[in-house]
Amino acid sequence: MAARLTDRPGRRSEPKVVARVTFGPGHGSRPAPNVGPVSTTSTRPARRTIRQFVPPQHGAWAMLLLPYLAGLLVAGFRWPDLPLLCAWLAGYLLSYYVFLAVKSRRPGRYLPQFRLYGLVAVPAGAIVLAAEPRLLWFAPVYAVLLAVNAWYAWRRRERALLNDLASVAQSCLVIGVVTVIAGGRPADTWAASVLVLLYLTGTVLHVKTMIRERGSRTYRTASVGYHLAALAAVTVISIPAALVFALLTVRAWVLPGRSLTPKRVGFVEIGASVLVLAAVALVGRPPFAI
């Protein structure tokens, strides 16, 4: 929206605001009487704040929520699952900015994020551990996987395949955490863990073929080959899971090479996550225990 000052000859010159509404290229503009200039400066600080505290990693939310929801479906809900969700999400946000600080070598820049997410993650995590101390057995595994993330952040190679797979492993461990909270063993829900692990690993490969490795024959071959192997593996678990992974294999074969924006790729993966969650729900408890 633009404003201009006009003077008419023969009359007293008075500043006059004329607002124009622009509809985009090719649509021209028309006067908008009685509408003054609208300032967008009030919305900019809010947007800047959101960008400052929320990572632009849209695909990460599916990776965070899918294992948590899968664990609830197969193991059941207990009250510590609520603080667990708070600790899990806040912990991810905290780790994101910690690794940014490691990468940039400027930790002071991210002190507000450290304070905000640390004040949520630490108390919530303490509540969960107080309710179920057995969860401390997961700590060494998470420590190793986070060390992998930190090393790649220090080397400024956080997009490396191994780094992504370490993040996938961290997410899938949440199924075991939810199972222990419910009073069971991680081995009791191995089928859900396998399905989610296979899906998220395949997603890492597929998304790379769509964005960062677009046009790479090597990555596309690896992605399709992996999905075929995953399809063969899940047929042992259940027919519904095999049908879902058959669709995932088709998407890994058909979509690379097409001009899809990252946003559309994300929408496809959201739909795929829902299908995988449905397959987990149909499987429920595994057909045999380990």
Side-chain angles (χ1 to χ4, degrees):
M1 188 174 290
R4 64 178 182 177
L5 298 178
T6 59
D7 293 327
R8 293 188 179 181
R11 295 188 181 183
R12 186 176 60 183
S13 175
E14 295 180 359
K16 191 173 182 180
V17 177
V18 178
R20 290 186 174 273
V21 180
T22 304
F23 295 93
H27 292 281
S29 60
R30 63 178 177 83
N34 301 324
V35 178
V38 177
S39 174
T40 59
T41 56
S42 60
T43 61
R44 288 175 184 171
R47 291 179 181 175
R48 192 177 299 116
T49 301
I50 292 174
R51 291 172 184 170
Q52 187 179 3
F53 285 90
V54 179
Q57 304 292 331
H58 308 297
W61 300 107
M63 187 178 291
L64 293 167
L65 293 176
L66 175 60
Y68 175 81
L69 295 175
L72 292 182
L73 283 175
V74 296
F77 174 80
R78 300 292 185 276
W79 71 264
D81 289 322
L82 289 178
L84 171 64
L85 180 61
C86 295
W88 177 233
L89 297 180
Y92 159 71
L93 294 167
L94 177 62
S95 67
Y96 176 85
Y97 290 104
V98 167
F99 295 142
L100 273 185
V102 171
K103 177 182 177 181
S104 65
R105 278 71 160 171
R106 299 180 66 180
R109 176 185 294 182
Y110 303 102
L111 288 178
Q113 290 88 343
F114 297 165
R115 285 192 291 264
L116 173 62
Y117 296 122
L119 287 173
V120 177
V122 173
I127 292 172
V128 177
L129 287 175
E132 186 48 77
R134 289 188 300 161
L135 295 176
L136 286 172
W137 287 104
F138 289 91
V141 183
Y142 272 108
V144 171
L145 294 172
L146 288 170
V148 172
N149 294 148
W151 187 83
Y152 277 104
W154 179 259
R155 297 292 300 272
R156 293 173 177 162
R157 294 179 53 202
E158 65 278 6
R159 298 298 180 185
L161 179 60
L162 183 58
N163 190 51
D164 291 338
L165 295 179
S167 298
V168 166
Q170 293 171 40
S171 295
C172 293
L173 283 174
V174 172
I175 299 176
V177 172
V178 174
T179 303
V180 171
I181 289 176
R185 305 173 305 155
D188 296 336
T189 53
W190 68 267
S193 298
V194 168
L195 290 179
V196 174
L197 177 63
L198 291 176
Y199 164 66
L200 291 179
T201 302
T203 294
V204 169
L205 292 171
H206 171 65
V207 171
K208 284 187 180 296
T209 66
M210 298 297 297
I211 301 174
R212 294 187 177 274
E213 300 294 338
R214 179 183 295 178
S216 171
R217 222 178 231 191
T218 301
Y219 261 92
R220 182 174 183 178
T221 302
S223 176
V224 174
Y226 171 86
H227 280 85
L228 288 171
L231 173 59
V234 299
T235 55
V236 178
I237 299 177
S238 75
I239 298 302
L243 293 175
V244 170
F245 273 79
L247 292 175
L248 296 177
T249 304
V250 171
R251 83 96 155 74
W253 173 262
V254 172
L255 292 186
R258 297 180 180 271
S259 57
L260 294 180
T261 63
K263 185 176 181 179
R264 291 182 178 178
V265 173
F267 283 140
V268 171
E269 293 310 305
I270 289 174
S273 298
V274 173
L275 291 176
V276 172
L277 195 61
V280 169
L282 291 174
V283 170
R285 290 282 178 167
F288 52 90
I290 296 177

